[in-house]
Amino acid sequence: MLHRTNLLAMVGGGAVPKYADNTALIYDDRTSKLVLEFTFSAPVLAVRLRKDRLVVVCRRQIHVFSFPHAPQRLFTCETRDNPLGLCEVSPLPSADRHILCFPAHKLGAVQLVDLLTTESTVSQAPLTVQAHKSELACLSVNREGTLLATASLKGTLIRVWDTARRVLLAELRRGSDPATLYCINFSGDSEFLCCSSDKGTIHIFALKDTRLNRRSTFSRMGFLGGYMESQWALANFTVPPECACVCAFGANSTVYAICVDGTFHKYVFKADGCCNRESFDVYLDLVADEEF
């Protein structure tokens, strides 16, 4: 969805898709009509929208278009094999930095593209961040485009990077057991970060005042290595385990989580780590496809 507008991006899927999986469609909810259609030679894995750009992600390519009036393809980036369709873009045209992030060709690296300086006739050396030693699993960019969060398929660590200097700012530990991360999100003011995984726990970390994050009681014993020195979540709450879930921040220290089983969760957290549920609902009664 494009911010709070009436424009939605859709891609066909499911057992009996109505539209081809290699086509990205823009739907206008105000007129209840499809208004734009983009077709590619490979299946579309993800779409990212902002008020002046449309980004379409295929397995080995990322296509960037002007948007929404008279869309034109601006450029195409070749990527590492990207089966998860990883790609993020800073959402605000008024942001400090206009960053597009996606897996680079090197294992565990993220490529950064400045949308303000990219022109089809200008060739630039790629800017990359060597974020992890294994395949990437999740990416996130803050509203201003100044911070990048990354996680690998191992799913134990989240690393936060400065996109201008390409330096590591924080290493946050989700847990000690491997996990599949579904989502990472920054708060609107970039003071906090949340993540969800197949472990059924939403973790909340402090970024501005990292003293709020928990640390091991052995963290001062440097000879024990980085594990003991990692920052652990300030607060957390649980959702149905092994159920894909996205999470995001709201106003006044609230975190929302929506799961594929139709459950909605709203929690409020405090600086002391206390986390209380404010709302819960179920929006879907799941039935077999033939019952719709």
Side-chain angles (χ1 to χ4, degrees):
M1 181 178 180
L2 179 58
H3 193 48
R4 295 179 179 178
T5 73
N6 48 296
L7 297 180
L8 302 169
M10 303 189 302
V11 179
V16 187
K18 184 175 182 179
Y19 303 103
D21 64 359
N22 67 333
T23 301
L25 304 159
I26 305 299
Y27 178 81
D28 188 336
D29 186 58
R30 184 174 55 191
T31 61
S32 300
K33 293 180 180 179
L34 294 170
V35 293
L36 291 171
E37 180 177 322
F38 304 84
T39 301
F40 304 88
S41 59
V44 175
L45 302 182
V47 179
R48 297 290 181 263
L49 291 175
R50 48 181 269 166
K51 291 182 178 179
D52 60 349
R53 293 290 186 271
L54 166 71
V55 181
V56 179
V57 185
C58 297
R59 185 151 180 162
R60 291 187 176 273
Q61 290 183 320
I62 292 179
H63 309 274
V64 180
F65 296 82
S66 59
F67 186 79
H69 304 296
Q72 298 290 327
R73 190 195 303 259
L74 301 178
F75 60 91
T76 296
C77 297
E78 303 291 331
T79 72
R80 182 181 180 83
D81 185 36
N82 185 16
L84 297 177
L86 298 180
C87 177
E88 293 298 333
V89 62
S90 53
L92 300 179
S94 59
D96 295 336
R97 291 176 59 79
H98 298 246
I99 296 295
L100 175 69
C101 305
F102 51 87
H105 288 284
K106 187 176 180 181
L107 176 67
V110 181
Q111 185 164 336
L112 309 178
V113 174
D114 187 344
L115 294 176
L116 287 182
T117 61
T118 301
E119 299 178 7
S120 58
T121 57
V122 177
S123 177
Q124 295 181 330
L127 301 177
T128 61
V129 172
Q130 188 57 52
H132 300 273
K133 295 181 179 179
S134 57
E135 294 286 0
L136 298 169
C138 208
L139 300 175
S140 183
V141 179
N142 70 337
R143 290 165 57 90
E144 294 76 19
T146 56
L147 299 177
L148 164 70
T150 66
S152 71
L153 288 179
K154 189 175 180 181
T156 54
L157 290 175
I158 297 171
R159 293 184 172 128
V160 180
W161 306 84
D162 181 313
T163 61
R165 296 179 295 149
R166 290 177 287 154
V167 296
L168 181 64
L169 299 178
E171 187 171 86
L172 311 172
R173 182 165 290 278
R174 180 212 56 80
S176 56
D177 296 330
T180 299
L181 263 68
Y182 297 127
C183 173
I184 302 174
N185 261 318
F186 291 91
S187 62
D189 55 12
S190 300
E191 293 190 6
F192 297 93
L193 178 146
C194 63
C195 70
S196 63
S197 73
D198 63 349
K199 297 296 183 181
T201 304
I202 307 297
H203 296 271
I204 303 164
F205 299 90
L207 296 179
K208 183 177 181 180
D209 186 359
T210 57
R211 295 172 300 176
L212 298 176
N213 294 326
R214 299 174 182 175
R215 288 173 169 80
S216 168
T217 54
F218 300 103
S219 61
R220 296 181 181 178
M221 302 171 65
F223 64 86
L224 292 177
Y227 178 85
M228 292 299 180
E229 297 174 1
S230 296
Q231 300 180 41
W232 297 69
L234 153 71
N236 58 68
F237 61 89
T238 59
V239 294
E242 299 182 4
C243 179
C245 173
V246 294
C247 57
F249 289 92
N252 303 318
S253 299
T254 59
V255 176
Y256 300 94
I258 301 175
C259 305
V260 295
D261 64 355
T263 57
F264 167 87
H265 311 258
K266 178 183 178 182
Y267 279 77
V268 175
F269 67 95
K270 298 181 180 179
D272 61 2
C274 181
C275 199
N276 296 314
R277 187 168 78 177
E278 274 206 347
S279 180
F280 171 82
D281 212 332
V282 179
Y283 286 100
L284 296 177
D285 291 323
L286 297 181
V287 295
D289 289 344
E290 57 270 16
E291 295 184 45
F292 277 100

